[in-house]
């Protein structure tokens, strides 16, 4: 804890506390006596000096809800404006300021006029409690201060000095730390021991540094490492999931504390007090485990898509080979058809077969017969033939991931979940695929059209365990892509219900809104929805009436043969842009436009790495960053962008996670907006 917390930058402090500088429109807005009460208050002052000072102080207070210590020489333009509009003269010379007594009296009058309260030490305790409450939702002091300033505005309290704000936050942070430390002390000793082992250094590297290393790629070693990390954190994660809600912290606060552990070295964490070490470690474990689940699911989807694409390619090659073989045999078929009617009638059965098969091989008869019947090559069978050959790949990559992840389906009685549990119950006990006996009568949910593909031979009683396993994997991947299959222990793949507020909290919305200083929220939502529905109904009626009366010239109404009315939009026959400046411009790809702007502004400097230290690649690959921005803009995702371009998926994924977030996007938007504003008009 530092003696005084840096809540704002120098620029922000100036913006909050400095005397406002009005333009002509702002002077007209704020230096106007609006009500009779203000007029009566102004008339209490007889000389020009106090009257002008009152108008100035009143206008400044309306603008920033603060009082300022100034002299007339500091603001000549504002003084000149007031003299011209209220005194009807610019010749009067004003210097200095009124007496302290007059200024204090004016402040009390302005507070009474605008129903405000000046800051008082009597508010200090309640404000400290409110800041402590804010810090549970907004752990960054800057964000909490913004909410506090909004609270001052709602409660109509004058914002105190910056030093007072620093003292308030210092005490609030100390109180919040004390509260958390008391709760942390209740952690069982064996859990504290596990946390100590994680934080403390044994040998060359602490376990914490190993765990927080991100997955490098989709190779077996990287995937296996992620699974091992998940298994090592599972016990502490389950404890953190139950314990952290008792701290009454928001997800945002937990994520912030986890990021602190993520960014700084382990030895810096060990400098904190033991309760704070355990607190930050629990937040990190909670978030890190969910991030590992994200990585594993992404790896699962990646490898499944790779196998599916490889299966398609394999089937395409096999089909081309099959077609090429048939084309080669067509001349032999013609030769056989010419020979057979004029064959020697005295040939024995064996001699007939020998000559026939010498013309057209025996194995080609059935293939040519199927072709002549119009039966095409069975690509599906060829795909499953490839999947069977690839059984070692998905047993190495996909099976361990499935065993490590707890999936849930949006349907309560999902048949896919039954298949997942079947695989997990078998392989989770360490059994081999050869011990996996699957038959239709066992209640396995496999479509009839697929059963012949999941058996090595049509006569087999049992479904092949490897083929059945990949059948489940592709179903899992498909449901993940559609958002039907979730993992509530992950960040990106969790069910939306996990992010929704609990019903019990919704019932207390009025109480919570009043505590946070937003009493209008419960009423506003109901009234706003009713008002929006009313406006929509009125707009619907007006639009319908305009169409029937023929006022809407953009629509054409026609009656069909059945008596129903049909409408269509009318478009202008002439293109208004045909003869404009834009017609002369060459067409450019959007990606090229972004790359051009990125180098010109420069835009790429806005995208900083999530970690400000201990990283090798601090700057993004601009091409990959552009690909991520395009995939986000069009909703395709990194995987689809990798498939349709020559960009590596792992590079896109790491760029998206490390460089693209709200803060960097806002910074890039600010750079772009400032550059456009600076262009000549």
């Amino acid at each position: 804890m530092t003696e005084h917390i840096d809540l704002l930058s120098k620029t922000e402090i100036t913006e909050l506390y400095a005397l406002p500088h009005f333009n002509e429109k702002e002077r007209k807005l704020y230096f106007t006596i609006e009500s009779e009460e203000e007029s009566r208050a102004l008339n209490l002052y007889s000389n020009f000096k106090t009257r002008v000072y009152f108008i100035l102080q009143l206008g400044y207070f309306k603008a920033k809800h603060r009082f300022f210590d100034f002299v007339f020489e500091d603001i000549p333009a504002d003084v000149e404006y007031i003299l011209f509009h209220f005194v009807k003269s610019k010749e009067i010379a004003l210097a200095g300021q009124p007496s302290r007594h007059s200024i204090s009296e004016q402040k009390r009058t302005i507070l009474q006029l605008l129903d405000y309260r000046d800051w008082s030490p009597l508010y200090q305790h309640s404000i400290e409690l409110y800041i402590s409450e804010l810090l549970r939702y907004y752990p960054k002091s800057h964000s909490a201060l913004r909410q506090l300033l909004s609270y001052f505005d709602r409660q109509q309290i004058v914002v105190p000095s910056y030093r007072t704000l620093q003292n308030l936050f210092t005490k609030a942070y100390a109180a919040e730390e004390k509260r958390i430390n008391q709760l942390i002390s209740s952690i069982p000793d064996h859990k504290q021991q596990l946390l100590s082992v994680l934080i403390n250094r044994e040998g060359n590297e602490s376990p914490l540094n190993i765990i927080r290393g991100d997955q490098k790629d989709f190779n077996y070693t990287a995937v296996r490492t992620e699974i091992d990390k998940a298994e090592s954190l599972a016990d502490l994660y389950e404890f953190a999931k139950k314990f952290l809600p008792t701290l009454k912290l928001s997800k945002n606060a937990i994520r912030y504390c986890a990021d602190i552990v993520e960014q700084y070295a382990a030895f810096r964490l060990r400098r904190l007090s033991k309760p704070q070490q355990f607190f930050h470690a629990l937040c990190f474990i909670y978030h890190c485990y969910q991030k590992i689940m994200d990585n594993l699911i992404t790896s699962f989807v990646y490898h499944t898509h790779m196998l599916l694409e490889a299966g398609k390619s394999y089937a395409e090659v096999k089909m081309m080979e099959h077609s090429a073989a048939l084309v080669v045999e067509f001349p032999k078929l013609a030769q056989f058809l010419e020979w057979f009617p004029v064959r020697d009638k005295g040939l024995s059965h064996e001699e007939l077969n020998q000559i026939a098969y010498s013309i057209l091989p025996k194995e080609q008869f059935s293939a040519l017969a199927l072709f002549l019947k119009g039966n095409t090559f069975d690509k599906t069978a060829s795909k499953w033939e490839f999947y069977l050959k690839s059984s070692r790949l998905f047993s190495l990559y996909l099976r361990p991931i499935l065993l490590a992840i707890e999936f849930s389906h949006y349907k309560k009685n999902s048949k896919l979940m039954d298949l997942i549990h079947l695989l997990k119950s078998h392989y989770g006990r360490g059994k081999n695929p050869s011990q996996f006996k699957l038959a239709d009568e066992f209640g396995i949910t496999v479509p009839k059209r697929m059963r012949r593909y999941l058996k090595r031979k049509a006569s087999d009683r049992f479904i092949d365990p490897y083929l059945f396993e990949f059948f489940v994997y592709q179903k899992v991947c498909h449901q993940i892509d559609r958002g039907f299959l979730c993992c509530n222990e992950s960040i990106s793949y969790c069910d939306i219900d996990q992010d929704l507020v609990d019903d019990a909290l919704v019932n207390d919305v009025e109480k919570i809104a009043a505590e946070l200083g937003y009493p209008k929220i419960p009423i506003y939502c109901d009234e706003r929805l009713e008002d929006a529905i009313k406006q929509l109904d009125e707009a619907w009626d007006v639009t319908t009436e305009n169409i029937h009366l023929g006022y809407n010239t953009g629509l054409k109404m026609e009656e069909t043969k059945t008596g129903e009315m049909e409408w269509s939009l009318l478009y202008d026959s002439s293109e208004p842009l045909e003869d404009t400046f834009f017609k002369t411009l060459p067409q450019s790809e959007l990606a090229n436009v972004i790359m051009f702007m990125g180098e010109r502004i420069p835009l790429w400097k806005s995208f900083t790495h999530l970690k400000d230290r201990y990283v090798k690649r601090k700057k993004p690959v601009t091409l990959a960053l552009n690909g991520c921005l395009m995939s986000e803009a069009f909703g395709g995702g990194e995987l689809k962008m990798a498939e349709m371009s020559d960009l590596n998926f792992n590079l896109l994924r790491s760029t998206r996670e490390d460089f693209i977030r709200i803060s960097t996007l806002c910074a890039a938007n600010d750079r772009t907006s400032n550059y456009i504003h600076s262009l000549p008009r």
Side-chain angles (χ1 to χ4, degrees):
M1 298 291 293
T2 57
E3 185 178 354
H4 296 292
I5 300 175
D6 290 331
L7 300 174
L8 299 171
S9 65
K10 291 183 178 180
T11 303
E12 291 170 326
I13 294 173
T14 302
E15 178 67 23
L16 180 61
Y17 290 98
L19 194 70
H21 296 283
F22 292 155
N23 56 32
E24 195 66 25
K25 290 183 178 179
E26 290 171 332
R27 293 189 185 98
K28 184 178 181 180
L29 174 64
Y30 292 114
F31 294 144
T32 300
I33 304 301
E34 298 175 344
S35 63
E36 294 182 4
E37 291 81 3
E38 293 178 1
S39 180
R40 284 197 295 269
L42 178 62
N43 292 331
L44 295 175
Y45 306 103
S46 56
N47 63 54
F48 293 134
K49 194 172 187 178
T50 54
R51 287 174 66 86
V52 172
Y53 202 90
F54 177 80
I55 296 172
L56 289 168
Q57 196 72 276
L58 178 63
Y60 293 152
F61 191 87
K62 287 179 179 179
K64 303 190 72 170
H65 297 153
R66 276 189 52 77
F67 292 113
F68 302 93
D69 186 17
F70 59 90
V71 294
F72 292 115
E73 290 84 351
D74 296 335
I75 44 171
D78 292 345
V79 172
E80 181 180 340
Y81 177 87
I82 293 173
L83 289 175
F84 178 77
H85 286 82
F86 289 90
V87 187
K88 306 300 181 183
S89 174
K90 293 184 181 182
E91 303 300 328
I92 301 175
L94 296 176
Q97 61 180 190
S99 65
R100 290 185 178 181
H101 175 74
S102 297
I103 293 175
S104 298
E105 184 181 343
Q106 287 185 2
K107 289 181 179 179
R108 288 193 295 270
T109 302
I110 292 172
L111 289 172
Q112 187 176 1
L113 282 173
L114 300 181
D115 197 20
Y116 259 77
R117 293 173 289 170
D118 201 3
W119 169 256
S120 169
L122 298 175
Y123 305 142
Q124 181 169 331
H125 180 66
S126 61
I127 295 299
E128 287 174 6
L129 293 177
Y130 184 73
I131 295 174
S132 298
E133 186 76 20
L134 285 176
L135 293 176
R136 302 176 192 178
Y137 300 95
Y138 307 95
K140 291 184 178 181
S141 57
H142 189 277
S143 301
L145 178 59
R146 291 180 61 184
Q147 295 299 319
L148 179 63
L149 295 177
S150 178
Y151 176 80
F152 280 135
D153 189 49
R154 293 192 303 272
Q155 297 296 320
Q156 294 187 300
I157 299 175
V158 176
V159 178
S161 66
Y162 182 62
R163 178 58 59 86
T164 301
L165 290 177
Q166 287 179 308
N167 293 336
L168 291 171
F169 269 85
T170 300
K171 293 180 179 179
Y173 269 113
E176 186 64 11
E177 182 179 351
K178 182 179 179 181
R179 182 187 72 86
I180 291 176
N181 289 349
Q182 290 175 347
L183 294 171
I184 292 292
S185 63
S186 64
I187 296 177
D189 292 339
H190 67 283
K191 298 297 182 185
Q192 292 188 16
Q193 184 63 29
L194 290 176
L195 291 170
S196 297
V197 171
L198 183 68
I199 298 169
N200 295 330
R201 179 175 179 177
E202 295 181 2
N204 296 328
E205 194 171 10
S206 67
L208 183 64
N209 287 339
I210 299 174
I211 289 172
R212 65 184 179 181
D214 200 6
Q215 182 177 332
K216 294 181 179 180
D217 49 43
F218 296 110
N219 292 331
Y220 174 75
T221 303
V223 174
R224 186 70 251 180
T225 301
E226 289 295 290
I227 294 173
D228 293 340
K229 289 195 294 186
E231 292 175 351
S232 66
L233 294 177
D235 188 26
L236 282 173
Y237 171 75
E238 289 298 325
F239 173 75
K241 188 167 65 170
K242 296 176 182 178
F243 178 78
L244 287 178
T246 64
L247 301 180
K248 297 181 180 180
L249 298 175
S250 66
K251 291 182 178 180
N252 180 43
I254 295 173
R255 174 67 182 272
Y256 174 75
C257 296
D259 286 343
I260 291 177
V261 182
E262 183 79 24
Q263 293 183 28
Y264 294 100
F267 77 88
R268 300 190 66 175
L269 182 63
R270 290 194 290 268
R271 292 178 181 175
L272 301 175
S273 63
K274 279 292 181 182
Q276 284 295 303
Q277 289 183 29
F278 296 155
F279 166 62
H280 282 82
L282 280 175
C283 292
F284 169 74
I285 290 167
Y286 180 79
H287 181 260
C288 180
Y289 186 88
Q290 293 183 345
K291 188 177 180 182
I292 290 172
M293 291 296 108
D294 268 3
N295 294 339
L296 291 178
I297 295 174
T298 302
S299 300
F300 184 92
V301 173
Y302 173 80
H303 284 292
T304 306
H305 278 298
M306 291 292 288
L307 286 170
L308 291 172
E309 290 298 322
K312 290 180 182 178
S313 301
Y314 179 86
E316 292 288 344
V317 172
K318 285 294 182 182
M319 186 178 69
M320 288 189 291
E321 292 177 353
H322 175 76
S323 301
L326 289 178
V327 171
V328 171
E329 301 299 338
F330 272 145
K332 296 180 181 180
L333 176 61
Q335 183 182 353
F336 174 81
L337 294 175
E338 291 176 351
W339 165 80
F340 189 78
V342 297
R343 69 189 183 283
D344 187 355
K345 305 299 182 182
L347 293 174
S348 64
H349 183 70
E350 293 181 359
E351 291 174 336
L352 181 65
N353 287 343
Q354 183 178 1
I355 297 173
Y357 293 146
S358 64
I359 299 173
L360 184 65
K362 182 179 180 180
E363 58 272 12
Q364 294 297 331
F365 271 78
S366 58
L368 288 169
L370 290 173
F371 178 79
L372 293 174
K373 287 181 180 180
N375 294 339
T376 57
F377 179 78
D378 193 346
K379 294 176 66 175
T380 304
S382 184
K383 290 179 186 177
W384 286 97
E385 177 187 343
F386 172 80
Y387 301 147
L388 183 60
K389 293 179 180 180
S390 306
S391 58
R392 175 170 171 76
L393 289 177
F394 58 74
S395 63
L396 284 174
Y397 288 93
L398 303 182
R399 188 187 299 164
I401 296 177
L402 187 78
L403 295 176
I405 296 174
E406 286 295 328
F407 283 112
S408 61
H409 203 275
Y410 83 103
K411 290 183 179 179
K412 292 184 178 180
N413 300 319
S414 170
K415 295 179 179 179
L416 177 59
M417 290 304 301
D418 295 337
L419 300 180
I420 293 174
H421 293 322
L422 187 65
L423 285 178
K424 296 182 76 168
S425 63
H426 180 81
Y427 292 112
R429 294 196 297 267
K431 292 186 176 182
N432 297 323
S434 59
Q435 299 173 285
F436 204 175
K437 303 297 182 181
L438 297 168
D440 297 343
E441 59 266 24
F442 292 167
I444 306 303
T445 308
V446 176
K448 289 184 179 180
R449 61 180 180 82
M450 287 299 302
R451 289 174 186 172
R452 65 189 183 97
Y453 297 118
L454 301 185
K455 295 180 179 180
R456 297 199 181 193
K457 297 179 182 178
S459 59
D460 289 347
R461 178 192 173 194
F462 296 109
I463 294 174
D464 185 85
Y466 291 109
L467 294 176
F468 171 76
E469 187 177 358
F470 190 74
F471 170 76
V472 177
Y473 292 155
Q474 68 165 355
K475 290 290 183 184
V476 169
C477 182
H478 180 64
Q479 294 290 297
I480 291 174
D481 288 340
R482 297 182 66 186
F484 295 157
L485 192 65
C486 311
C487 174
N488 292 329
E489 313 304 332
S490 70
I491 300 172
S492 304
Y493 298 95
C494 67
D495 191 352
I496 190 174
D497 290 338
Q498 294 294 110
D499 294 326
L500 297 180
V501 176
D502 188 76
D503 291 340
L505 291 176
V506 175
N507 295 332
D508 294 334
V509 61
E510 294 182 3
K511 177 183 175 183
I512 296 171
E515 290 176 353
L516 294 178
Y518 296 97
K520 295 183 179 180
I521 284 181
I523 305 171
Y524 172 80
C525 291
D526 294 337
E527 292 182 352
R528 180 70 185 91
L529 286 174
E530 290 179 2
D531 185 54
I533 292 174
K534 182 180 178 181
Q535 292 180 14
L536 182 62
D537 290 340
E538 292 175 354
W540 184 274
D541 294 337
V542 171
T543 304
T544 304
E545 184 179 0
N546 289 338
I547 292 174
H548 285 303
L549 295 176
Y551 296 154
N552 195 331
T553 57
L555 286 172
K556 179 182 180 182
M557 302 294 297
E558 290 181 342
E559 185 175 349
T560 63
K561 295 180 180 179
T562 58
E564 297 179 352
M565 297 297 294
E566 283 188 351
W567 63 272
S568 59
L569 291 174
L570 296 176
Y571 298 96
D572 294 334
S573 58
S574 60
E575 291 290 341
L577 295 180
E578 282 295 319
D579 299 325
T580 63
F581 165 76
F582 296 99
K583 183 182 177 182
T584 62
L585 295 178
Q587 293 186 356
S588 299
E589 296 290 339
L590 183 57
N592 295 335
V593 174
I594 296 177
M595 289 296 293
F596 173 78
M597 291 297 296
E599 299 298 333
R600 191 173 184 86
I601 294 179
L603 187 67
W604 313 126
K605 290 183 179 180
S606 305
F607 294 94
T608 56
H609 200 284
L610 181 64
K611 302 176 184 178
D612 56 0
R613 64 197 74 194
Y614 311 120
V615 291
K616 294 182 179 179
R617 182 165 61 92
K618 291 188 176 182
K619 295 182 179 180
V621 178
T622 55
L623 196 60
L625 186 58
N626 191 16
C628 290
L629 293 174
M630 295 293 292
S631 65
E632 288 290 321
F634 294 104
E638 291 82 31
L639 183 59
K640 193 166 185 179
M641 178 59 69
E643 292 174 351
M644 62 188 293
S645 67
D646 57 351
L647 295 172
N648 180 269
F649 173 68
N650 195 42
L651 175 62
L652 290 172
R653 182 183 66 89
S654 61
T655 302
R656 171 68 179 84
E657 293 177 355
D658 295 338
F659 294 97
I660 299 181
R661 53 192 185 277
I662 294 296
S663 58
T664 56
L665 288 173
C666 289
N669 182 67
D670 290 343
R671 281 180 180 268
T672 307
S673 301
N674 292 337
Y675 179 77
I676 293 174
H677 183 72
S678 67
L679 294 175
R681 299 180 181 179

